[in-house]
Amino acid sequence: MTAIPQATPSQEPHWRTDDLYPGIDSSEYLAAIAGIADQVGALGGIFDRLEIRKDGQREEVAAAYDEATTALNALLADLAPVRAYANAFVTTDSRNDAAQARASELSTLTQPLGDLMTRYSAWLGGLDLVELKANSGMARAHSYSLERAQHAARHQMSPAEEALASELAGSGNESWAKLHGNVCSLLVAEVGGQRLPVTAIRNLGSDPSGAVRAEAYAAELKLWQQAEVPLAAALNGIKGRVNVLNARRGYGDAVEPTLSGNSIDRQTLAAMQRAVVASFPDFRRYFAAKARLLGHQNGQLPWSDLLAPVGEPGREWSYPESKSFVEDSFRGYSERLADFARAAFEGDWLDVPARAGKRGGAFCMSWRKGESRILLNHARSLDSTSTLAHELGHGYHNLCLKERTPLQKQTPMTLAETASIFCETIVQQNALASATGAERLYVLETQLMGQAQVVVDIHSRFLFEQAVFEGREKRDLSPTELNTLMEQAQRDTYGDALSSLHPYMWAVKPHYYGSSFYNYPYTFGLLFGLGLYARYRSQPDSFRAQYDELLSRTGMGDAASLAAEFGIDTRDEAFWVSSLDVIRESIREYEGLAG
């Protein structure tokens, strides 16, 4: 067995939580939870008094809207930090019983909020929005929120059915998602003589040693096989429930509700995916070049080598070094972005090291007004450094949104990835600017590796999820059937570029268990972000202010309208092709460096 280098936890911080509440069982936090319960009850009373429901009162509509919306925004604003606080403990230690209890309690007491939101949309669905906006400044400020509510109202079940669906959510999808997270956080295996959580084992996919990568891949597959039964049950439960609700709400397929939720239309998705599929032969050239560099003379990569490093990193990419590089890169773009990153580092907003009980991957969540908390599972690589920049981009987006109301902040997933991809691109371009020879190959590899994940692998996940929804209409799908669907989706996208596949990717990705089709928005975000970066390079001075304004309004307009302000037509396949052409240039240079 190959020894695994030990991490240095002292250099990798855990995030700070005591700036919100002293502890998960503190009197202050328990009082905050009780306060949320009171607010939920009070909002229900306001809705009852104002007849906020389907076919409710139609007199003094503007005054009723203003009062109901003010109370709803206030509740959502107060709920966000209370919910984030519990999440900060649950996601870093799944065995923290007190945190699990508080999170469950909070989920239960806020269940009526789902029903109230449904009533709110149903009421708005019957109003004359032109007249309402003429008589209410608040309505004008929440114009896009009103339009989305009216669209949602057209796909609502009866009030009683919607209330029941909301009430059962806590013991349905939320519980299945929690089961997935808890089961995965407890998976541990021995690799290289060390007992490692599955998150750390997956990080070994980028280890310099091919033997370590192969051992980690084999150990990981065994772990997923051990957990396949409960995870398959969770996936079947979630997708089955979504199918039933979609049918009752009058949607044609499982993709349709995600389009409105992502503020795009089917024409935009189709244009983007046509361009994506046309790019697969180019990505397969990249995979073949990488395979040859790693000694696979048949030109095929084993799955364990997909994330393998190529070239020479030129630096260690420890967490302290990654922090410094990201901040310096951001400062090359703007002082505001760099100062934000420094505030995050100095304020201990990040939880960095992988450990048992901690969930995998990375995410950013809003904390206090303009502040965020960022979860990482850092490995010593430019890829992890890019992930750091990516999540800080989400945090910067939260900063730009801080003056908006909660209803104005409701950003679709497509636009939620805008700032993160942009920040990732800044860092990667900075790394590429001074790199030559083997180091340049390493930077290009890191860049293309991430882009291949977002273009090629993401499309495989989209195809897989489509197939699962279709199969789940008939019956439960066994773990073996899920594996087969996953492998077929990978063959349809990677083609003959790989010599082995990952049948359990459906178990790995938490997005399958949280929401539907949380995949193609990443592709949209990458390609839209590359398009924005190109515009920044051509007009840097005017771009910055316009870009921050865009980020502050991502919940206040559909993607096509916001993109049009930068001269981008998201329904035109040519735009997506032009963004992919940027990647094609990198592939050509990579092939040249690879010989």
Side-chain angles (χ1 to χ4, degrees):
M1 291 184 180
T2 305
I4 308 301
Q6 293 285 349
T8 52
S10 61
Q11 295 181 315
E12 299 185 346
H14 297 193
W15 52 30
R16 182 183 179 187
T17 58
D18 63 356
D19 55 341
L20 274 185
Y21 305 101
I24 197 71
D25 274 333
S26 66
S27 58
E28 292 88 342
Y29 186 56
L30 296 178
I33 292 177
I36 294 298
D38 291 341
Q39 281 183 271
V40 172
L43 184 65
I46 291 171
F47 278 23
D48 288 343
R49 174 170 54 80
L50 298 176
E51 299 181 24
I52 305 296
R53 61 176 182 272
K54 186 177 183 179
D55 301 324
Q57 67 105 349
R58 295 292 184 268
E59 298 178 4
E60 299 185 12
V61 168
Y65 171 80
D66 288 355
E67 182 179 353
T69 302
T70 298
L72 177 57
N73 272 324
L75 170 56
L76 294 175
D78 291 343
L79 174 60
V82 177
R83 181 175 278 160
Y85 188 75
N87 201 37
F89 289 88
V90 170
T91 56
T92 53
D93 183 6
S94 63
R95 291 167 290 196
N96 186 326
D97 291 341
Q100 294 282 7
R102 297 292 82 77
S104 177
E105 180 183 346
L106 193 58
S107 176
T108 300
L109 67 87
T110 56
Q111 279 178 6
L113 182 57
D115 180 43
L116 293 173
M117 292 294 292
T118 300
R119 287 173 55 181
Y120 182 74
S121 294
W123 180 63
L124 293 174
L127 300 183
D128 182 337
L129 295 191
V130 174
E131 182 179 353
L132 174 60
K133 285 186 276 190
N135 295 316
S136 167
M138 179 169 290
R140 291 192 293 275
H142 290 80
S143 180
Y144 187 59
S145 172
L146 290 170
E147 294 171 16
R148 294 182 73 178
Q150 280 211 333
H151 182 274
R154 291 196 289 271
H155 287 280
Q156 283 188 359
M157 302 180 288
S158 70
E161 288 174 313
E162 289 290 353
L164 180 60
S166 176
E167 190 173 342
L168 290 175
S171 56
N173 282 21
E174 291 177 15
S175 291
W176 287 122
K178 186 186 297 182
L179 174 66
H180 173 267
N182 290 346
V183 168
C184 294
S185 70
L186 299 176
L187 295 176
V188 178
E190 184 172 305
V191 179
Q194 295 182 52
R195 295 283 292 173
L196 298 173
V198 71
T199 50
I201 292 172
R202 283 186 54 75
N203 277 345
L204 295 176
S206 58
D207 191 272
S209 166
V212 170
R213 296 194 300 269
E215 184 184 354
Y217 169 74
E220 183 199 346
L221 289 189
K222 288 181 181 178
L223 285 177
W224 296 124
Q225 186 176 23
Q226 292 169 19
E228 66 178 7
V229 172
L231 296 184
L235 191 62
N236 276 295
I238 288 169
K239 301 311 182 189
R241 182 178 185 272
V242 171
N243 269 344
V244 170
L245 291 177
N246 282 344
R248 292 294 186 97
R249 288 171 175 153
Y251 289 110
D253 60 22
V255 175
E256 185 181 353
T258 72
L259 296 174
S260 57
N262 284 313
S263 296
I264 65 172
D265 52 28
R266 206 173 285 270
Q267 185 180 352
T268 294
L269 179 62
M272 182 185 77
Q273 291 188 329
R274 283 195 302 272
V276 161
V277 171
S279 74
F280 289 164
D282 301 290
F283 279 100
R284 289 167 190 161
R285 291 187 359 249
Y286 151 66
F287 292 134
K290 180 171 182 174
R292 291 191 296 273
L293 284 169
L294 293 173
H296 305 295
Q297 296 306 315
N298 63 355
Q300 289 184 305
L301 275 175
W303 188 277
S304 60
D305 282 352
L306 262 180
L307 307 183
V310 168
E312 296 296 331
R315 63 185 75 203
E316 189 176 307
W317 295 115
S318 65
Y319 179 66
E321 190 168 8
S322 295
K323 281 197 313 179
S324 177
F325 188 81
V326 166
E327 184 180 335
D328 289 346
S329 300
F330 284 0
R331 206 163 294 283
Y333 167 73
S334 80
E335 293 296 320
R336 186 182 188 218
L337 179 59
D339 290 344
F340 165 79
R342 174 170 290 184
F345 297 143
E346 293 180 349
D348 288 332
W349 294 5
L350 297 95
D351 194 285
V352 176
R355 57 190 182 275
K358 181 179 178 180
R359 65 160 281 181
F363 70 81
C364 173
M365 62 180 174
S366 180
W367 191 250
R368 296 187 300 189
K369 190 173 183 179
E371 295 184 13
S372 300
R373 288 297 180 267
I374 293 170
L375 181 141
L376 303 172
N377 283 276
H378 188 76
R380 295 188 175 201
S381 67
L382 177 57
D383 183 49
S384 273
T385 305
S386 296
T387 299
L388 170 61
H390 181 105
E391 299 305 333
L392 283 168
H394 283 302
Y396 186 72
H397 195 170
N398 288 338
L399 174 66
C400 292
L401 287 166
K402 73 174 185 175
E403 299 304 329
R404 302 300 186 186
T405 70
L407 290 176
Q408 291 172 331
K409 289 179 182 179
Q410 292 180 344
T411 297
M413 290 184 288
T414 42
L415 296 175
E417 295 303 323
T418 301
S420 55
I421 296 294
F422 190 84
C423 286
E424 199 175 332
T425 304
I426 289 172
V427 166
Q428 290 176 348
Q429 290 301 312
N430 189 32
L432 197 60
S434 60
T436 59
E439 184 181 0
R440 189 169 184 84
L441 182 64
Y442 173 84
V443 176
L444 280 170
E445 163 60 31
T446 301
Q447 192 176 70
L448 287 170
M449 178 177 62
Q451 291 166 343
Q453 285 290 297
V454 176
V455 177
V456 183
D457 199 71
I458 283 290
H459 195 65
S460 77
R461 298 179 215 173
F462 176 85
L463 296 176
F464 167 78
E465 195 162 5
Q466 267 192 322
V468 169
F469 273 118
E470 292 170 4
R472 189 61 186 83
E473 288 178 353
K474 304 182 183 78
R475 56 178 172 77
D476 280 1
L477 299 171
S478 69
T480 300
E481 289 174 307
L482 293 172
N483 287 352
T484 299
L485 292 177
M486 190 78 257
E487 289 180 324
Q488 185 58 53
Q490 289 166 357
R491 289 190 191 96
D492 289 342
T493 49
Y494 288 95
D496 59 0
L498 304 181
S499 58
S500 59
L501 303 171
H502 195 313
Y504 285 103
M505 193 54 66
W506 60 268
V508 175
K509 297 298 178 182
H511 294 149
Y512 290 128
Y513 302 81
S515 58
S516 300
F517 293 103
Y518 201 156
N519 35 56
Y520 70 78
Y522 280 105
T523 310
F524 185 107
L526 169 67
L527 302 182
F528 185 56
L530 288 176
L532 286 176
Y533 190 79
R535 279 152 179 78
Y536 155 64
R537 295 293 294 270
S538 63
Q539 298 176 318
D541 294 333
S542 62
F543 177 88
R544 293 183 184 90
Q546 189 181 8
Y547 175 67
D548 282 4
E549 175 65 14
L550 167 71
L551 294 181
S552 78
R553 294 174 49 238
T554 49
M556 300 174 67
D558 64 81
S561 299
L562 293 172
E565 296 178 12
F566 288 86
I568 293 171
D569 182 358
T570 61
R571 299 184 180 95
D572 185 354
E573 186 178 340
F575 164 69
W576 305 107
V577 170
S578 69
S579 291
L580 286 159
D581 283 343
V582 175
I583 301 175
R584 289 185 175 97
E585 289 180 16
S586 296
I587 292 174
R588 283 192 288 271
E589 183 178 0
Y590 184 93
E591 287 181 299
L593 289 172

